[in-house]
Amino acid sequence: MGRHADPTSSRRPAPVVLIAAGIAALLVAGGLAWWLAGSGGGGCETRQTVAVTVTPELEQVATGLLAEPIELDDGTCAVADVVAQQPLQTVGDLGALDADALPAVWVPDSSLWPARLSGVPLEADGSMGSSPVVLATSAAVADALGWTETAPGWGEALTSGRPLAVPDLATSAEGLAALAAVRSALGGGPEADNAVVQAVLAAQRGPSLSSADGLRAGSEGGEDAPLVPVSEQEVFANNRDAEDSSLVAVYPAEGSPVLDYPVLRVGSPSGDRTAAVDAVVGALTSEAARAAALEAGFRGADGAAPADAGEATGISADTPATLELDPAAVQSLVEQLSALAAPSRILTVFDVSTSMEASVGNGTRATLARDAARATLTLVPDDFALGLWVFAYRLEGDRDWAELVPTRELAADADGTTQRAALDEQLLTIPDRLTPGGTGLYDTTLAAVRAARQDYDPSAVNSVLVVTDGTNEDDAAGLTLDGLLASLGEEADPERPVKVIGVALGPDADLASLERIAEATGGAAYSAVDPADLQTVLFDALRQRR
């Protein structure tokens, strides 16, 4: 079936990643866009817009705080453009996009994210609040295990044999923090590392549970509800919005890692721009911001609990002990856990027909695809192998496709540079390659599958990723959909399986055909009708493993 940015297919648990608004909005707003505007009332004769990116759970709080222009001393007004985005996606943007496409202010859920960046000018300036990482489950489970009276240790809880809904470790600060807490509680070292790895492997071998599934089971009071590492605020929000929820937060005995929601300045604005950014940062760290965050279920930066903390909301009114984590140790843990998964070997194929010239915000579908792909490229590990083709109609003689970069591991040498750098360089050229005449989608797909099978790596998950905004528009000599499906079936090799992952970009893309191709190869089809979804879809597609 087709999928959107928040895939819910039963074939694979959805990753804990949802972008409420994404790349297109950032491209429109720019990282720090400034313009003169006519008088808008309220004494604002000129306005300076500040792009602000926040973690999704803070979107409502930030939007409310920044709903009105902020008048500066000189009569100018700072106007905030607030975008919600998962922190991992912002990490990708900060590592790949130009300065004018980045936010001026970033509020992730944890300081673990900026610790993963190097060479990016970020300045911390306060916090919007905090939330300890807890283990959510049903009150029935907590009572049965005696945890209501005596808190378990992290190691005891996560190695107890209880079902564990492990969030997507690539995108979840809560999941990483919980596993890092286990490692810390067990004293670090090889034995602690092994305990963490065993907990993750046990979760992978067990029933496939997403965090959303786990929270739902806990809310419903199931005696077999799993443990779910989440922020305390997520338990609060779940119970506040539900009737008769049985979800409770368990606070392990050693203390809880804390999500600190830092307010970060991005880049180095000067002059009047500095004043506008100062005003926005001031609003996000004000007493009004603290009150709004508490109302939404966050704690103060000092650990003070929301007024509604207690049995009704499933969280403690007391301030739990804090378990400090070393960002370097957490990054090391990420690398160890990444090694548990088989590497991916993916031939990526981008549509460069002239329909990709369609306007999107301040750019085109082609520039959107370029920027989304470049940002996503920064997020995948070095042991991924990626190649790059483009396709339209008769790009090379009678062939509808052209190879730009052969498939290699991202850390491999590519004619004097790395494969990652070579891919990034060629992705930059996509908007300049648009070609009229049609779209040889079916011929290209079959050729790509054949190439991937010829280049097969038995130690990796091998696939073809096709990104298109249209339909097959080929001449009479080209394959039909039935012909493509027949060829894929006839040539399928169980010893060398290659699945096709299709991404339908925009409302005109032929999602139905991509779904049939995906079904024939054991792959997946995604829909990015809203351009803001594209980076989420690309990242999810690149990490497709089942």
Side-chain angles (χ1 to χ4, degrees), residues 2 15 69 97 117 165 186 230 250 252 264 290 441 494 526 530:
L97 303 186
L117 289 163
L186 295 178
V230 295
V250 174
L264 303 170
R290 181 179 186 276
L441 173 61
Y526 291 79
D530 183 345

Side-chain angles (χ1 to χ4, degrees), residues 430-449:
I430 284 178
D432 299 324
R433 294 180 178 275
L434 303 190
T435 304
T439 308
L441 173 61
Y442 300 154
D443 284 355
T444 300
T445 298
L446 182 59
V449 170

Side-chain angles (χ1 to χ4, degrees), residues 2 85 129 276 301 385 389 412 495 538:
Q85 188 178 49
W389 286 13
E495 299 299 318
L538 278 182

Side-chain angles (χ1 to χ4, degrees), residues 12 15-17 88 168-171 344 346 376 379-381 384 461 465 499 501 526 536-546:
R12 185 173 54 84
V16 187
V17 56
L88 180 68
D168 187 333
L169 297 178
T171 64
S344 291
I346 304 173
T376 304
L379 302 177
V380 294
F384 269 47
V461 179
L465 172 62
K499 58 187 171 185
I501 302 167
Y526 291 79
T536 303
V537 165
L538 278 182
F539 183 65
D540 192 25
L542 279 175
R543 298 168 58 253
Q544 240 269 342
R545 296 195 174 276
R546 298 185 184 180

Side-chain angles (χ1 to χ4, degrees), residues 334-342 383:
V334 171
E335 294 168 0
Q336 292 181 57
L337 295 173
S338 296
L340 297 177
D383 64 352

Side-chain angles (χ1 to χ4, degrees), residues 30 59 136 286:
E59 179 183 17
S286 65

